[in-house]
Amino acid sequence: MANAPTLPADTLEALHQAARARILVLDGAMGTMIQQLKLDEAGYRGERFRAWNRDLKGNNDLLNLTAPDAVRDIHLAYFLAGADIVETNTFSGTTIAMADYGMESLVHEINFEGARLAKEAARLAEQKDGRRRFVAGAIGPTNRTASISPDVNDPGFRATSFDELATAYGEQAASLLDGGADLLLIETIFDTLNAKAAVFAIERLFQERGIRVPVMISGTITDLSGRTLSGQTPAAFWNSLRHAQPFSIGLNCALGAKEMRAHIDELSRLADTLVCAYPNAGLPNEFGLYDESPAAMAKLVGEFAASGLVNIVGGCCGTTPDHIRAIAEAVAPHAPRVVPDIEPMLRLSGLEPFELTPIIPFVNVGERTNVTGSARFRKLITNGDYTAALAVARDQVENGAQVIDINMDEGLLDSEKAMVTFLNLLAAEPDIARVPVMVDSSKWSVIEAGLKCIQGKGIVNSISMKEGEEAFRHHARLVRAYGAAVVVMAFDEQGQADTYERKVEICSRAYRILVDEVGFPPEDIIFDPNIFAVATGIEEHAGYGVAFIEAVRAIRQQLPHAHISGGVSNLSFSFRGNEQVREAMHAVFLYHAISAGMDMGIVNAGQLAPYSEIEPELRDACEDVVLNRR
């Protein structure tokens, strides 16, 4: 395989300069134009594949090999109609999609030629008018989904995996770059987990080759419900993929411009990058065709531009060079959307977004889906009763948990298998899957297996420096690549921090490594300075509550945008069996810790007593213990 050409600096600068100067125009539908060629089976096969043992009609990507002139002419027509960027004819160019035709071995050639043909068209267009053109390597969603079972009777089954998708996407992306693509476009995303696998693969490719090209990401809202096929809202979709730092985020396909507008408006307000919209030519008629005229569509897309919602526009199903010409003319008078400055804050997602804002002073992380902390949950998982185990998670969410902590660290369990099974089943339960997941394990292999199952932006619990800085950096980079926030334990090579000084020292050291060396967003860092049991009868344990609270105060003051969490039930282990006292101790501890800056905690969401409602004598006794007063 040829080495990918490094994107020339002038190409990258030309793209950014063009995006600053005007609303960029993307091309229209390749499929619509290919349909107009009215090719029969022989037309798809060409001479080379005349004897192929499967039907090939409909394999549009194969035309890069069997009808290259026609493909190049379509690209050129879109460029001459006003497109700044055309997509390669490679929507199905993965081994996964090409398996339908038995053409997995042709993936490199199909993508290489797809990019080469589009680049040829770009050069021809530039020769005509001198305007710079760009080629986006199109990476479609494949015909499988990593978050949804194709079998209604087996919701935990998956027809593909994160690793399989990442391998396929990586091969396609490499081939597109080999062919000369200027940027990569992950498009028509109906399952965000598929897209996260593509982002992971592309980032790995960039690291391997020592290059970086712009990446565009475009999801699809599948119907008027305002969600992707896998159930995410546009805001949740953005939170899940923001770690990719894309050149643009946007939507395409499924909807016409009229139906898409509200969702583009939402992304426009949330995204601190360019926003791209390329809708269909209206909704399909009863024959599955698209009737919206170029003028009608251009009027609607032009309004996107006039309202300052977009930086890049184009067309999807049903659009032609005439549509693109009309759209280009409609947006030309308008300035591109101004990318907003977005305040740094922890932004997570399940099917729905979650933001840790000043309005939400404390996040309840449900603790009961943890085999190490709940005997009932452990028994359900070890017995394979996942239906009842899901009910535990549902109960946590219904009782106010805004995130659920899932831990399968039990010696008698295959922890990786249990984590994957539970998360896959959970994904089929919208009332639970709407909240973000905290993947909790002391084993990195279990954490990684869990991250490959969640389409939202979750939290890893946890990583630390107990194995040294190099392992810490390695795990942090992977957490970032999978698109998660991270809990960092106050634990280093010398052990867990138990004093105020050690807690602050370790967290400060970890913060500097994460922010300055790894490039981790500080708002995605959650420190756990270790909540230890008090009132154990051992004198040196008496100050553990105060040490934690004061460390919280210092960390929040000294480490900007970082957050604080902890396992609250650890505090009261000495009182196991006395739930009234434990609940009171937790409430007292949280009252003071939250005042100091603790903004997350792993708790039993159904058993949090309000501080003001604790019986005064019990409350005073708990404060004496927690604050080590007497």
Side-chain angles (χ1 to χ4, degrees), residues 2 20 46 71 163 166 202 245 324 374 404-405 407 450 479 502 514 517 555-556 564 572 576:
R20 288 190 294 268
V71 172
D163 289 336
I202 289 169
Q245 299 178 290
I324 297 308
S374 168
I404 51 173
D405 177 89
N407 182 298
V479 171
R502 285 267 295 149
L514 290 172
E517 298 180 35
I555 291 166
R556 290 303 299 269
I564 304 287
S572 60
R576 279 174 291 185

Side-chain angles (χ1 to χ4, degrees), residues 215-371:
V215 176
M216 298 173 68
I217 296 177
S218 185
T220 186
I221 302 298
T222 51
D223 56 37
L224 299 181
S225 69
R227 293 176 183 260
T228 62
L229 182 67
S230 56
Q232 280 199 318
T233 66
F237 172 74
W238 168 237
N239 286 359
S240 299
L241 290 167
R242 186 170 180 256
H243 68 283
Q245 299 178 290
F247 177 70
S248 71
I249 189 78
L251 299 172
N252 72 289
C253 205
L255 302 178
K258 181 180 178 182
E259 296 78 19
M260 187 183 284
R261 189 199 188 282
H263 308 308
I264 288 295
D265 190 354
E266 183 177 9
L267 283 176
S268 176
R269 287 182 278 108
L270 296 173
D272 53 356
T273 190
L274 306 185
V275 166
C276 175
Y278 52 115
N280 292 342
L283 296 177
N285 61 27
E286 61 271 26
F287 303 109
L289 302 176
Y290 298 86
D291 300 325
E292 195 161 80
S293 69
M297 185 176 180
K299 182 178 180 181
L300 292 168
V301 176
E303 192 277 328
F304 289 13
S307 298
L309 305 182
V310 288
N311 304 92
I312 306 169
V313 295
C316 203
C317 300
T319 58
T320 66
D322 289 339
H323 287 84
I324 297 308
R325 185 175 293 104
I327 288 170
E329 292 171 358
V331 302
H334 304 291
R337 161 184 166 273
V338 176
V339 177
D341 289 324
I342 303 295
E343 181 184 357
M345 64 178 66
L346 180 63
R347 291 177 169 85
L348 306 171
S349 59
L351 297 182
E352 297 171 5
F354 177 79
E355 296 179 351
L356 182 51
T357 69
I359 300 172
I360 302 173
F362 185 76
V363 178
N364 293 325
V365 181
E367 70 174 0
R368 306 312 292 169
T369 46
N370 184 326
V371 296

Side-chain angles (χ1 to χ4, degrees), residues 530-552:
N530 304 322
I531 299 174
F532 292 126
V534 295
T536 64
I538 300 173
E539 181 60 33
E540 53 262 38
H541 296 180
Y544 280 164
V546 174
F548 182 92
I549 291 167
E550 291 308 312
V552 167

Side-chain angles (χ1 to χ4, degrees), residues 538-621:
I538 300 173
E539 181 60 33
E540 53 262 38
H541 296 180
Y544 280 164
V546 174
F548 182 92
I549 291 167
E550 291 308 312
V552 167
R553 199 183 315 278
I555 291 166
R556 290 303 299 269
Q557 290 172 353
Q558 297 172 24
L559 308 178
H561 304 300
H563 303 280
I564 304 287
S565 182
V568 178
S569 62
N570 295 351
L571 180 83
S572 60
F573 275 169
S574 299
F575 296 90
R576 279 174 291 185
N578 191 334
E579 292 307 312
Q580 182 182 5
V581 170
R582 293 195 76 181
E583 287 180 30
M585 284 189 68
H586 298 165
V588 166
F589 176 78
L590 285 172
Y591 176 80
H592 292 284
I594 290 170
S595 297
M598 181 180 182
D599 49 9
M600 302 180 72
I602 301 174
V603 298
N604 184 346
Q607 294 183 355
L608 275 183
Y611 176 83
S612 60
E613 295 179 14
I614 303 170
E615 193 276 320
E617 185 177 1
L618 175 59
R619 185 176 64 212
D620 288 346

Side-chain angles (χ1 to χ4, degrees), residues 36-190:
Q36 293 183 10
L37 298 175
K38 300 189 185 306
L39 297 173
D40 58 10
E41 179 70 25
Y44 274 87
R45 287 175 177 268
E47 185 58 31
R48 178 176 172 183
F49 301 101
R50 185 166 58 86
W52 199 257
N53 60 359
R54 299 192 196 184
D55 289 343
L56 297 180
K57 185 177 180 181
N59 186 354
N60 290 348
D61 295 12
L62 182 62
L63 298 177
N64 295 338
L65 308 183
T66 58
D69 291 346
V71 172
R72 183 178 52 247
D73 288 348
I74 292 171
H75 290 318
L76 182 59
Y78 277 123
F79 274 137
L80 297 180
D84 297 286
I85 306 168
V86 301
E87 306 166 52
T88 56
N89 180 40
T90 55
F91 185 81
S92 299
T94 57
T95 51
I96 293 172
M98 281 294 153
D100 287 352
Y101 303 100
M103 290 187 155
E104 300 96 310
S105 64
L106 295 171
V107 159
H108 174 68
E109 187 180 2
I110 285 171
N111 286 281
F112 182 95
E113 289 301 313
R116 188 185 64 78
L117 290 168
K119 288 294 286 185
E120 279 188 11
R123 283 191 288 271
L124 290 170
E126 290 168 7
Q127 288 169 8
K128 286 182 176 291
D129 59 19
R131 186 157 62 90
R132 194 68 170 269
R133 306 304 208 287
F134 306 94
V135 170
I139 298 174
T142 82
N143 50 5
R144 298 183 194 172
T145 170
S147 291
I148 304 172
S149 171
D151 183 352
V152 294
N153 298 312
D154 186 359
F157 173 71
R158 296 293 183 269
T160 189
S161 68
F162 187 98
D163 289 336
E164 183 183 12
L165 287 164
T167 298
Y169 285 131
E171 183 177 356
Q172 182 180 25
S175 303
L176 288 166
L177 293 180
D178 289 347
D182 300 311
L183 57 158
L184 296 171
L185 168 58
I186 307 168
E187 66 168 338
T188 322
I189 299 160
F190 55 77

